[in-house]
Amino acid sequence: MAGHVSPGGFTGTSPVWLREPDDVNALVGSLWPRTATKVDGVLQVGGLSVPEIVANVNTPAFLLDEADFRARARAFRDAFAGCDVYYAGKAFISTAVARWVAEEGLFLDVCSDGELTVALRAGVEPARIGYHGNNKSAMELRRAVHEGVGRIIVDSIVEIDRLADIATQLGVVQPVMVRVTAGVEAHTHEFIATAHEDQKFGFSISSGSAFEAVRQVLAAGSLDLRGLHSHIGSQIFDTSGWEVAARRVLALHARVAAELGHAMPELDLGGGFGIAYTTQDDPADPAVLAEQIIRIVAAECGALGVDVPHLSIEPGRAVVGPAMFTVYTVGTVKEVSLDGGATRTYVSVDGGMSDNIRTALYDADYSCTLASRASDAAPVLARVVGKHCESGDIVVKDEFLPGDVRPGDLVAVPGTGAYGRSMASNYNHALRPPVVAVRDGAARVIVRRETVDDLLATDVG
Ligand code: LLP
């Protein structure tokens, strides 16, 4: 069964879920892009040697397996055939990636003018774009309407007024969805009811504000209400959270039909499909998730006596997360004595929290491997840390690496495609790393490394 094993404690210095590997050189296949492999201990992707790729671009660098990205996008599209699959660009977007998304037949979810600009530059059809955000500015809304964005997901009463005015001024009828909160916050395989007033996104179903928002959209002649939208959270491994959310959202959907006489033709259940960062995680196949979600929606609509709306979903992490990994160069290695006589090997790399904030921000677990050579040395429990001025600047909290790991080695961290480069910062004036797409033996930079001139360009003295 798909799921996530809670760490539940430590044995010595190591979390209980982390097992010493039989072969410390081997890749754990489920964590890596599908073309990743090792040849004589050297990591390969897309038919190229990783040390050779990074010799040209330096480290740290994100390497993106294009075939893997496209295959994951297609897997969602095919699993959810008959539904619209929006790739959530917040996970990672660039012009090339937006093109792949369009080529694979997916729609695109953006949540800022910057993301919209990239999408349009890539040639994504505006009608196939959904636009999110709890505080879209009048300028952002005006541009989205002007460009013909297919769905604007409204998030507040202020925004409904603002958007209705803008659409009236521009002489168009704008299709919208109403973002609702179903009181379900999914934490991996658990879900916890949350206080609705503590939620900044959307309109609460239970308090009645979602119904009021729907009424207000229907009253605006310049807005076309397509349906309700619910996103329950991220890194979810089973369908129980979606099931509860779908029930509550569809109850509102049916109430709108019954009391306001408006049968909404669509329903969006958001993203949040989990991926494997370490051996703790066992995500379900999109086909299994799709089958369950579609069945839940159909059953609930049957029970409510309403037509099944056209469904859409918005996966981000599950498409790009496993397709990309980060490559670092080791700079220093240090043994640190711990209470009880144990030691921990601190491996410092040339990036850190500026290219992966998730460990510091969410206490996220990652894995890693020595990417540049095979080693006969016995495994040691290592912590991979960055070069920033913070003790919390940790990339991989716990992983076994060969005991002879040393300066100059390359270390690669899988699963960094989602919310890695997209949440990267210039902390300590770090230069954000490049993204190199690899496919069929060819590598091409799709996002170049920042330069000191890029940093200085905004510093006007
Ligand atoms: N749709 C909506 C409305 C969302 O807010 C999100 C994510 C998604 C779709 C895509 O969710 P995904 O399938 O990627 O889980 N920075 C955090 C995740 C925040 C996600 C925000 N919204 C992280 O690094 O885990």
Side-chain angles (χ1 to χ4, degrees), residues 88 90-91 109 132 179 201 229 231 233-235 270-273 277 314-318 358 362 418-419 423:
K90 68 202 79 184
D109 148 12
H132 274 280
R179 171 83 180 258
F201 291 109
H229 185 293
H231 170 75
S234 273
Q235 187 62 354
F273 306 91
Y277 287 101
E314 298 171 338
R317 185 192 319 264
R358 295 191 73 263
Y362 310 120
Y419 309 107
M423 294 207 296

Side-chain angles (χ1 to χ4, degrees), residues 330-334 345-349 382-386 401 405 411:
V330 174
T332 68
V333 178
K334 196 187 271 185
T345 302
Y346 275 80
V347 177
S348 293
V349 295
R383 176 159 289 176
V384 178
V385 296
L401 282 173
V405 60
V411 167

Side-chain angles (χ1 to χ4, degrees), residues 150-164:
R151 299 285 177 274
I152 295 181
I153 296 82
V154 294
D155 202 282
S156 66
I157 295 293
V158 174
E159 184 181 61
I160 294 171
D161 288 341
R162 201 179 272 164
L163 184 59

